[in-house]
């Protein structure tokens, strides 16, 4: 059963990103929003780890949050708006928010 994981906390503040990455299944997706988009900063270890995930794991970022922080969209990541975010939640069998 594929799960969409939602992460909104900075990867530099705690270990939620690492915990999430350990639990990702082959058909899961990860959507970064809020301060979690800082994981996509060029040159960071977090971005390198995300880029090395299997291609079967979909990576998404909330476009509005990425733009607010003036970060580029890495090639491996798909930027989505709010309507696409809602559609993603319906596409996956489960949604897990890393509060």
């Amino acid at each position: 059963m594929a799960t969409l994981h939602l992460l909104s906390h900075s990867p530099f503040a705690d270990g939620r990103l690492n915990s999430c990455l350990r639990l990702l299944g082959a058909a899961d997706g990860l959507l970064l929003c809020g301060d979690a988009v800082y994981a996509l900063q060029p040159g960071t270890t977090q971005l390198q780890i995300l880029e090395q995930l299997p291609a079967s794991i979909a990576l998404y970022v909330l476009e509005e949050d990425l733009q607010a922080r003036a970060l580029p969209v890495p090639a491996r990541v798909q930027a989505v708006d709010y309507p696409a975010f809602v559609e993603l939640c319906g596409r996956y069998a489960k949604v897990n928010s890393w509060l």
Side-chain angles (χ1 to χ4, degrees):
M1 209 169 15
T3 300
L4 176 64
H5 298 266
L6 308 177
L7 190 62
S8 62
H9 294 273
S10 171
F12 305 107
D14 57 36
R16 286 174 232 216
L17 175 61
N18 291 332
S19 296
C20 176
L21 293 175
R22 283 193 301 272
L23 294 178
L24 285 176
D28 287 354
L30 172 61
L31 186 137
L32 302 173
C33 57
D35 285 343
V37 303
Y38 285 120
L40 303 178
Q41 290 182 87
T44 61
T45 301
Q46 289 79 4
L47 178 58
Q48 290 175 342
I49 291 168
L50 291 171
E51 288 177 332
Q52 293 174 2
L53 289 173
S56 64
I57 297 173
L59 297 178
Y60 306 99
V61 63
L62 196 57
E63 188 172 33
E64 182 176 294
D65 291 333
L66 198 64
Q67 289 175 349
R69 290 155 182 86
L71 294 171
V73 181
R76 170 79 167 81
V77 180
Q78 179 182 347
V80 297
D81 58 12
Y82 279 103
F85 175 21
V86 172
E87 189 274 326
L88 283 173
C89 290
R91 186 185 310 168
Y92 286 87
K94 295 179 355 182
V95 177
N96 182 31
S97 182
W98 290 80
L99 298 175

